[in-house]
Amino acid sequence: MLKVVIADDEDLIRAGLRIIIDAEPDLSVVGEAADGAEVVPVVRRELPDVVLMDVRMPALDGIQATRRLLELPQPPKVLVVTTFENDDHVYDALLAGASGFLLKRTRPDDLVKAVRLIAAGDSLLFPAAIRTLAARRRPAARVPGIDRLTGREGDVLRLMTRGLSNGEIAAELVVSPETVKTHVGNVLAKLSARDRTQAVIAAYESGFVSPG
């Protein structure tokens, strides 16, 4: 059973998400928070696998709440659920460590698939949307580890920013999927990235890849 916590300041949104999640035999909502400041104690108590996180909340927004959650000894995966995809808050939440985002108008089936995907350790990557958000910003700074990537690892990272799967990257580079999996693991390790989304964000933030 995968445990989920919902953090959103709108009662109706929380109620709707709970109905969708609790309808699945392998998912269970174990807690709710109406503000980012409330979500940390709920997560400490319930130890969920995934937190569905709104980014715009009054006292403490989802960006700061995500940072606090990832500092916990047993951090959950964070999936941002937002109204607008072209929102700088979404990019900041991804930069803070969220594994992906979905729109609040997402179909229920896609929502539960995303929760399972995030819980399994994968990332929910929308390359075009992230590229659009990254294009509005200047590269922030040198990202530790980016200069330690080998030439082939750099190639893999560039293809990851396009949203290619391991199989698609293998076909593009004419190598085996196992080789790509090794390269992806090396990229994540060198960039201290939790998942592919974090690696892609690091590529844009460092200027290693231009969103243009």
Side-chain angles (χ1 to χ4, degrees):
M1 180 69 71
L2 296 177
K3 298 189 293 184
V4 179
V5 163
I6 300 169
D8 196 293
D9 62 327
E10 296 186 41
D11 295 345
L12 189 60
I13 295 294
R14 293 200 312 276
L17 291 173
R18 176 181 278 275
I19 290 171
I20 293 169
I21 296 299
D22 281 344
E24 299 298 312
D26 60 330
L27 305 178
S28 175
V29 176
V30 296
E32 296 184 12
D35 186 79
E38 298 177 9
V39 71
V40 176
V42 173
V43 166
R44 285 183 183 275
R45 183 178 69 247
E46 301 296 342
L47 298 177
D49 301 287
V50 176
V51 173
L52 300 181
M53 181 79 75
D54 187 20
V55 286
R56 293 178 178 270
M57 291 182 284
L60 187 74
D61 63 32
I63 301 162
Q64 294 298 326
T66 296
R67 291 195 181 103
R68 293 186 184 184
L69 289 181
L70 296 185
E71 293 173 353
L72 296 176
Q74 294 179 262
K77 298 297 176 66
V78 176
L79 176 59
V80 170
V81 184
T82 181
T83 304
F84 306 107
E85 63 181 314
N86 293 325
D87 184 344
D88 285 342
H89 283 68
V90 172
Y91 188 85
D92 287 334
L94 296 174
L95 187 60
S99 293
F101 72 94
L102 286 176
L103 297 178
K104 290 184 178 179
R105 63 175 181 269
T106 297
R107 294 173 60 250
D109 286 352
D110 291 332
L111 173 65
V112 297
K113 287 177 184 176
V115 170
R116 295 186 183 109
L117 185 72
I118 294 294
D122 294 321
S123 57
L124 199 64
L125 185 61
F126 295 98
I130 294 176
R131 184 166 59 248
T132 298
L133 291 169
R136 301 177 182 179
R137 309 159 72 108
R138 295 180 179 178
R142 176 181 171 274
V143 172
I146 201 81
D147 55 354
R148 294 174 49 221
L149 298 178
T150 66
R152 183 43 58 96
E153 289 165 356
D155 293 338
V156 168
L157 178 56
R158 291 183 185 92
L159 294 173
M160 286 167 61
T161 66
R162 289 167 46 189
L164 272 62
S165 66
N166 284 2
E168 291 167 333
I169 294 173
E172 185 89 8
L173 299 179
V174 196
V175 296
S176 71
E178 290 74 20
T179 297
V180 172
K181 184 177 180 180
T182 298
H183 287 317
V184 170
N186 291 340
V187 169
L188 297 185
K190 289 180 180 179
L191 298 182
S192 299
R194 300 176 73 220
D195 51 39
R196 296 168 87 99
T197 297
Q198 297 308 305
V200 169
I201 293 294
Y204 288 132
E205 283 293 292
S206 64
F208 182 78
V209 173
S210 170

